[in-house]
Amino acid sequence: RKRGLDLKRDLIDSLGDEVVGACAPSTGPVTDAPLPWNRMDRLLAVSLVNVDAFTQAVGALKQIAWGPAADRLFTKRDFLGESIYTFHARPGTRDAMSRGFSYAIANHTFLIGIGAPAMVENALQGMRDREGAFWKRDDVKAALAGMPSDAAWMQFAALSMVHASLFDMGERVGGNTGRAGAGDGEGGQPDTPAKPDTAVTSLPSGMVAGHTVKTADGIFSTVRIFYQQP
């Protein structure tokens, strides 16, 4: 307890049971090379059961963490009638987390975006039924058409992003673990193979969509891959 804040009562108990997470390429120069996971912007949306208590708890945590400087470190601005607070980290960094974050509390939901504020802005637009062009694409509509309304969990992603990021992750893991004794053929880790270029990693063009349903008989998951026909 500090500054009248009870973390369990005011913060944790104020959270609801609905959580949505998303990753997307950060805003900036257009490139054909999909970004690895650690350089994508991220969004986490959590439902709230006690908005007032949660809002006060967040304000208290900011004061505990940054003191009087909190108001200067966070930029507040209006967006579609809601307030977005943005914390700007040091410039020139590539990792999403180190580029700062933004948050908003709207529609009984806590929205926090790591990286560019566009993730929170897009979520607020969606709450106003102002869907972006991405959600109006025919391939996206086809992938989401079979999602049941009572699903306990859902996922949706562009295949090219998933494959390219997995290749990048494998390269990073191999590079970190395969240096000592690399290539010596005597139990050492092999050298990291050459990473395929964008023409190869982006070949799986389409969407992957999945969902999980809980029934009296158990928990059932379904994942479907939608390839774009040439």
Side-chain angles (χ1 to χ4, degrees):
R1 296 174 184 267
K2 194 172 184 180
R3 292 180 179 269
L5 172 66
D6 185 320
L7 279 177
K8 182 180 184 305
R9 180 197 65 201
D10 301 328
L11 195 72
I12 298 175
D13 289 349
S14 295
L15 299 174
D17 57 3
E18 295 183 358
V19 179
V20 176
C23 295
S26 59
T27 56
V30 177
T31 174
D32 292 332
L35 292 173
W37 295 117
N38 69 314
R39 290 184 55 197
M40 288 189 182
D41 290 342
R42 304 176 185 90
L43 174 74
L44 183 67
V46 185
S47 62
L48 299 175
V49 295
N50 191 332
V51 175
D52 292 338
F54 186 86
T55 302
Q56 293 176 6
V58 170
L61 285 175
K62 287 163 60 176
Q63 292 298 320
I64 293 172
W66 292 284
D71 292 336
R72 299 194 305 271
L73 293 173
F74 284 84
T75 301
K76 178 183 176 182
R77 61 190 176 89
D78 179 80
F79 185 82
L80 298 180
E82 306 292 348
S83 296
I84 296 179
Y85 298 84
T86 300
F87 177 83
H88 298 284
R90 61 187 186 279
T93 52
R94 300 174 66 186
D95 183 82
M97 178 66 78
S98 59
R99 285 190 281 113
F101 65 91
S102 300
Y103 78 89
I105 299 174
N107 195 30
H108 286 84
T109 306
F110 175 57
L111 303 167
I112 181 166
I114 308 300
M119 295 294 282
V120 175
E121 294 173 357
N122 189 53
L124 291 173
Q125 288 178 330
M127 290 178 175
R128 294 289 191 90
D129 293 326
R130 299 179 182 179
E131 294 183 348
F134 176 80
W135 302 105
K136 298 177 182 178
R137 286 169 34 176
D138 291 338
D139 57 340
V140 175
K141 288 182 178 180
L144 296 177
M147 291 287 187
S149 60
D150 59 345
W153 170 86
M154 293 187 293
Q155 71 167 4
F156 175 72
L159 278 175
S160 60
M161 293 289 180
V162 173
H163 281 250
S165 294
L166 288 176
F167 275 115
D168 185 87
M169 185 184 302
E171 181 186 35
R172 291 170 181 269
V173 172
N176 290 334
T177 61
R179 296 310 178 198
D184 58 13
E186 298 296 333
Q189 295 288 341
D191 288 329
T192 303
K195 177 183 174 182
D197 59 23
T198 305
V200 175
T201 59
S202 298
L203 278 179
S205 181
M207 305 291 173
V208 57
H211 65 268
T212 297
V213 176
K214 294 191 295 184
T215 71
D217 298 320
I219 300 175
F220 303 90
S221 297
T222 301
V223 177
R224 300 178 64 190
I225 296 177
F226 301 82
Y227 285 107
Q228 288 185 354
Q229 297 298 322

